Amino acid sequence: MKLSAPTFRLIGMICFIIAVFAVGITLYNIANPRKNIIPLQGLDQSPSQSQNIKWQDEKDTTSFHLFSVRLQKELSNQIDINIDTIQFYKNKTLYEAKAVEYKVGEIRTLTDLGEGFREDHQIDSSKYYYSLAIHESRELNDTSLLERAIFGYGWMLIYDSVPVPQLIYQILDEANCIAHQSKDTLYQIYVLNRLAQYYYYKKEYKVAHAFCMESQNLAEIKKDTTGIINNLYAFESIYSDLRLYDRQLEVVDKALKLSHFIRDTPTLYTIYRTASRGFLINHLYDSCLYYARLNIPFAENQHRMPLGLTHIARAYLETNQMDSAKYYYAKILMQRALKKINTGAEEYLDFGKIEYKLGNLELALKYYNRVLEDEAELDLSTKGELYKSLSDYYIHANQYDKAINYLNKSISISDSIAKYQPGVAFILDESKKFRSQIALLNKNTELQVALASQQKQQRNLVFVGSGIIFFLLGIGFYRFQKNKNLLSRQALLHQRLQISRDLHDEVGSTLSGIAMYSHLAKEQINEDHLTEVKRSLDIMQESSGEMVDKLSDIVWLLNPEHDTLQKLLEKLGDYARLMANIKNIKIKMVIPNLLKDDHLSVETRRNIYLICKESINNAIKYSQATSIEIRVESENNKLRFSVDDNGIGFDLHERKSGNGLKNIRHRADEIGAELDIVSGHGQGTRIELNYNLLH
């Protein structure tokens, strides 16, 4: 049984919908597993987004939020800060907060102002706004706002020109206590990290390491990814100063692994800065340059371009690529000038090294002396580098007394650094304890990461499988349409070839005969053979009539309005009666009343018509019959056509090679029909055609 093209298209569309539905269900199940992994927290979070701070949605704070966002944007623009613009947005933000009695928004604005002016090194303004924020937070009794304001004030004091270490510690410790009491773990992680950094700046490595481990422990428990990375940065700084290079590279490796889960710019900046510094100190310059360059867009976004370029410049300096080193240090100077930040002693020391290696000895000495002016404020590592550089300079200048003096100072610095070794042993011991405490947490994290990776692979597999399914369905649909179009073109081509063959065989030969007899008649007229002329004209007339009939048949068969069985039988009946009237032969048509009105293709209709027409024509011309019966029967999707005459009949063996019978058999074969011819001398003739409508 053959399916029609519309049925095939419908089945294909149903299969396509089922496939899409199945893929959708699979994707939903993978995206929503029954047991979700615990996500890494802390991404895109900061203390200013503490969970204890709640916006007052019941009040219309839209205008406040708009001005607050614009104010924060102006405060973060450290390159071209405009005090008048900040003052304008500050007043508008505070006014909108007070207008709707939005005390939380007012305090947040004061804290933002304190932080913004702190970053711009305007310490007096920063103190003022932080103090107001602390006072308002105490009155409101909001611990989350208070801890942020107090901590900001304490951290701001580090930037003060005359810092008071004990006061700074007291304020930072108070912020830590408030965070602990309020159970604001995320903020406590941040405060502990800042305390670690504060003691690192004071070179109290044991205390700094202890605070850093406490912060890291909380961050691991809370799965605060941002807190973990900030602590890794602090660990890397401590290990660098204590020359624990293996431990430093371990920290760098862990930070880089976490970078795959990070999307926020500040945290990525911290990771890549940690990596570039770690590789620089360990003399892995290619890796240092890679991550330092990778960090440039993040440093620019954070307005920390001088720091972002420092490791690149230092890597070129240590690999004796002086032109590149000088180029990047010039960019650092330009960035510092834009931000109105003084050049540090470390940069002047590096300038001196560059000029010394380029042979500009006097200029190098000028830079070294500039660093000596801040000798009392230099850390031990920088002092050691300065004394070593001065010793090299005076050896080259043949001033050996000064060279020996600075060389001895350099050796003394190395001995001073050695005093940190007991602290190193303590830190290593504490690190060992810390690692054992969080081993299970790390294992759990690894399992969760592995599970996330597995689910990602499953999702990717489903996406790829879905893509393949859609691709194959698309190819199948394309090939179906292509085959359908090809079959349509083949059918059309077949029809055209058939029409061409009919015109050539039926009409062409007739026209050729007419042309021949017209030429013959012309010659007969010239010779006055009128009898022959009349005979030629009669033949031409008869041929023309046949040609008109054949053309009429072709046109009729091609007309789609005549594609039903009923129309075909009407046409055969008309032809039979017309031909039979000429010889007074009786025509009998036997057609069932309930005959199905089936539609027939052009090829089928044409061949059935011509077979029946040829049979009727032969019976009328040669059978000498007095009656002809044309019968049509339909049963089980089969049609039976028969033409019976009561004529003289013929011997099938004698007529086996006749053209008429050959044409009839050939046409039956073309449509896959069965043809049966029964005849004999004096027995009449019966031609029967059986056609299956399911062909």
Side-chain angles (χ1 to χ4, degrees):
M1 178 178 178
K2 285 189 175 181
L3 297 176
S4 63
T7 304
F8 190 80
R9 283 198 298 271
L10 178 61
I11 294 174
M13 184 61 68
I14 292 173
C15 293
F16 179 78
I17 293 172
I18 292 173
V20 172
F21 181 76
V23 170
I25 292 294
T26 306
L27 289 176
Y28 176 81
N29 290 335
I30 288 180
N32 300 275
R34 293 182 179 180
K35 293 184 179 180
N36 293 319
I37 65 169
I38 301 174
L40 291 172
Q41 298 180 7
L43 301 183
D44 299 321
Q45 291 184 357
S46 67
S48 61
Q49 295 168 324
S50 174
Q51 295 176 349
N52 289 338
I53 298 176
K54 298 181 176 59
W55 295 98
Q56 298 180 354
D57 295 329
E58 65 273 9
K59 297 180 180 179
D60 185 8
T61 57
T62 305
S63 298
F64 164 79
H65 291 319
L66 292 174
F67 287 113
S68 177
V69 170
R70 188 56 190 269
L71 174 61
Q72 292 179 33
K73 182 178 179 181
E74 292 296 329
L75 289 170
S76 65
N77 186 11
Q78 298 173 14
I79 293 178
D80 187 22
I81 191 167
N82 189 315
I83 299 298
D84 292 336
T85 304
I86 290 176
Q87 190 72 17
F88 171 77
Y89 284 111
K90 178 205 76 172
N91 292 336
K92 292 294 293 183
T93 305
L94 292 176
Y95 172 79
E96 293 294 338
K98 291 178 180 179
V100 293
E101 298 180 355
Y102 188 19
K103 201 66 175 179
V104 171
E106 186 179 347
I107 298 170
R108 285 171 61 89
T109 301
L110 294 172
T111 308
D112 288 340
L113 288 165
E115 184 176 346
F117 284 115
R118 181 194 73 201
E119 292 294 330
D120 197 47
H121 299 274
Q122 298 189 39
I123 303 304
D124 291 338
S125 297
S126 180
K127 284 182 179 179
Y128 172 73
Y129 288 112
Y130 272 131
S131 299
L132 286 178
I134 292 171
H135 176 72
E136 297 292 342
S137 299
R138 291 190 190 279
E139 285 195 350
L140 189 61
N141 196 25
D142 190 313
T143 55
S144 60
L145 293 174
L146 179 60
E147 68 189 18
R148 182 186 173 207
I150 290 178
F151 177 79
Y153 186 86
W155 191 249
M156 176 272 305
L157 292 177
I158 297 175
Y159 290 75
D160 201 347
S161 58
V162 187
V164 182
Q166 189 60 32
L167 177 61
I168 294 173
Y169 172 74
Q170 288 177 355
I171 294 175
L172 293 177
D173 187 59
E174 182 182 359
N176 182 31
C177 291
I178 295 173
H180 182 74
Q181 292 171 2
S182 66
K183 297 181 181 180
D184 187 352
T185 309
L186 291 178
Y187 204 85
Q188 190 178 2
I189 293 168
Y190 182 77
V191 172
L192 289 169
N193 174 266
R194 291 296 186 167
L195 282 167
Q197 292 188 43
Y198 168 69
Y199 281 103
Y200 165 76
Y201 294 145
K202 292 181 63 179
K203 305 303 178 184
E204 296 184 23
Y205 297 112
K206 290 172 63 175
V207 180
H209 193 268
F211 276 118
C212 200
M213 282 203 303
E214 186 179 354
S215 177
Q216 187 73 341
N217 191 21
L218 288 174
E220 294 280 359
I221 294 173
K222 195 67 176 177
K223 296 180 176 60
D224 176 12
T225 312
T226 301
I228 291 172
I229 291 171
N230 287 334
N231 285 313
L232 290 176
Y233 178 79
F235 279 128
E236 191 268 340
S237 302
I238 295 170
Y239 295 148
S240 172
D241 283 12
L242 296 177
R243 302 183 181 183
L244 298 172
Y245 300 136
D246 291 342
R247 187 62 57 81
Q248 184 184 23
L249 287 178
E250 289 179 13
V251 169
V252 169
D253 182 63
K254 186 172 183 180
L256 289 175
K257 287 180 179 178
L258 287 174
S259 67
H260 300 297
F261 303 96
I262 303 301
R263 293 294 179 270
D264 63 301
T265 298
T267 309
L268 285 172
Y269 166 79
T270 303
I271 291 174
Y272 294 139
R273 178 161 173 77
T274 301
S276 61
R277 183 174 63 179
F279 289 126
L280 175 65
I281 292 173
N282 285 273
H283 310 296
L284 301 171
Y285 298 111
D286 289 340
S287 297
C288 170
L289 288 172
Y290 173 78
Y291 286 106
R293 289 195 180 103
L294 196 63
N295 201 26
I296 286 178
F298 301 107
E300 186 174 11
N301 180 273
Q302 295 299 110
H303 306 293
R304 288 181 169 87
M305 277 299 289
L307 294 176
L309 298 172
T310 299
H311 294 159
I312 299 177
R314 182 65 64 86
Y316 282 126
L317 173 59
E318 294 187 9
T319 55
N320 292 317
Q321 300 181 58
M322 295 302 128
D323 290 338
S324 297
K326 195 170 185 178
Y327 168 77
Y328 278 102
Y329 274 116
K331 291 188 71 173
I332 292 172
L333 283 178
M334 182 179 67
Q335 290 290 331
R336 287 186 178 276
L338 286 173
K339 297 184 66 175
K340 300 177 183 179
I341 300 175
N342 294 329
T343 304
E346 293 82 1
E347 280 81 6
Y348 282 121
L349 178 58
D350 288 342
F351 296 155
K353 291 178 181 179
I354 292 172
E355 298 300 338
Y356 176 80
K357 291 185 178 183
L358 290 174
N360 302 322
L361 301 183
E362 295 303 320
L363 185 56
L365 181 60
K366 179 180 178 182
Y367 283 125
Y368 293 154
N369 288 331
R370 173 64 183 81
V371 179
L372 277 174
E373 293 176 4
D374 300 325
E375 183 177 7
E377 300 177 6
L378 299 178
D379 59 67
L380 291 179
S381 180
T382 306
K383 281 184 181 180
E385 288 187 34
L386 173 62
Y387 296 149
K388 180 65 172 59
S389 298
L390 285 168
S391 176
D392 291 340
Y393 169 81
Y394 284 117
I395 289 174
H396 194 276
N398 297 322
Q399 299 182 36
Y400 298 109
D401 291 340
K402 291 185 177 181
I404 292 172
N405 179 42
Y406 282 114
L407 182 60
N408 289 332
K409 286 186 175 183
S410 176
I411 294 172
S412 176
I413 292 295
S414 297
D415 293 339
S416 298
I417 293 176
K419 75 178 184 179
Y420 293 121
Q421 294 310 310
V424 170
F426 171 81
I427 287 172
L428 292 176
D429 184 59
E430 289 296 311
S431 297
K432 185 177 180 181
K433 294 179 182 178
F434 171 70
R435 288 184 176 184
S436 64
Q437 290 174 357
I438 65 171
L440 293 176
L441 289 174
N442 287 340
K443 184 65 176 177
N444 183 43
T445 302
E446 290 176 5
L447 290 174
Q448 291 181 6
V449 171
L451 180 59
S453 176
Q454 182 182 11
Q455 290 184 344
K456 182 178 179 180
Q457 291 177 358
Q458 291 176 347
R459 285 195 297 271
N460 292 339
L461 182 61
V462 170
F463 288 140
V464 171
S466 303
I468 293 173
I469 291 173
F470 291 138
F471 178 71
L472 292 177
L473 287 173
I475 289 179
F477 184 74
Y478 169 75
R479 294 190 64 178
F480 166 74
Q481 289 293 114
K482 186 176 180 181
N483 290 335
K484 178 186 173 185
N485 294 335
L486 180 61
L487 291 174
S488 298
R489 288 196 296 271
Q490 288 176 344
L492 180 61
L493 179 61
H494 180 75
Q495 290 180 10
R496 290 176 176 175
L497 289 174
Q498 189 62 53
I499 294 170
S500 175
R501 188 161 52 245
D502 289 345
L503 290 173
H504 178 270
D505 295 343
E506 305 291 344
V507 180
S509 59
T510 303
L511 287 174
S512 297
I514 292 174
M516 182 185 70
Y517 277 105
S518 64
H519 180 71
L520 180 61
K522 184 177 179 182
E523 292 181 354
Q524 291 170 346
I525 292 173
N526 291 334
E527 296 176 0
D528 292 329
H529 296 163
L530 299 179
T531 303
E532 287 80 357
V533 170
K534 182 176 180 301
R535 182 180 176 187
S536 297
L537 291 174
D538 289 339
I539 294 173
M540 291 170 61
Q541 182 180 9
E542 182 180 355
S543 298
S544 299
E546 290 178 359
M547 184 182 68
V548 170
D549 290 340
K550 291 175 181 178
L551 283 174
S552 176
D553 288 344
I554 292 173
V555 172
W556 185 88
L557 289 169
L558 291 175
N559 191 337
E561 295 180 358
H562 302 151
D563 66 347
T564 62
L565 180 60
Q566 189 66 36
K567 293 287 186 181
L568 176 63
L569 296 177
E570 290 177 3
K571 178 70 173 175
L572 283 173
D574 292 342
Y575 174 76
R577 282 187 286 272
L578 178 63
M579 296 296 293
N581 286 336
I582 298 174
K583 292 191 175 184
N584 296 320
I585 298 175
K586 184 179 178 182
I587 296 295
K588 182 180 180 182
M589 295 284 294
V590 181
I591 301 174
N593 293 329
L594 300 177
L595 184 66
K596 292 173 62 177
D597 196 16
D598 291 301
H599 291 264
L600 303 173
S601 65
V602 173
E603 183 180 5
T604 301
R605 190 166 74 251
R606 172 181 170 278
N607 283 291
I608 292 176
Y609 174 74
L610 292 178
I611 289 171
C612 294
K613 179 180 178 182
E614 183 73 17
S615 301
I616 295 169
N617 189 54
N618 289 340
I620 292 174
K621 284 185 176 182
Y622 308 117
S623 69
Q624 300 179 21
T626 59
S627 68
I628 298 174
E629 181 179 283
I630 302 171
R631 182 182 295 273
V632 180
E633 297 174 302
S634 176
E635 183 179 359
N636 296 330
N637 291 318
K638 288 186 178 181
L639 287 175
R640 181 181 295 110
F641 298 87
S642 62
V643 178
D644 287 286
D645 66 67
N646 61 354
I648 60 176
F650 62 92
D651 188 347
L652 289 174
H653 299 288
E654 294 178 359
R655 297 285 185 92
K656 188 173 182 180
S657 59
N659 288 332
L661 295 180
K662 283 185 178 180
N663 288 337
I664 290 175
R665 294 186 186 279
H666 177 71
R667 295 185 187 282
D669 291 338
E670 279 190 356
I671 60 175
E674 297 177 2
L675 184 70
D676 189 21
I677 302 176
V678 180
S679 184
H681 289 296
Q683 299 177 3
T685 302
R686 174 183 175 83
I687 298 178
E688 183 177 295
L689 179 72
N690 293 285
Y691 176 73
N692 192 342
L693 289 171
L694 297 180
H695 274 290

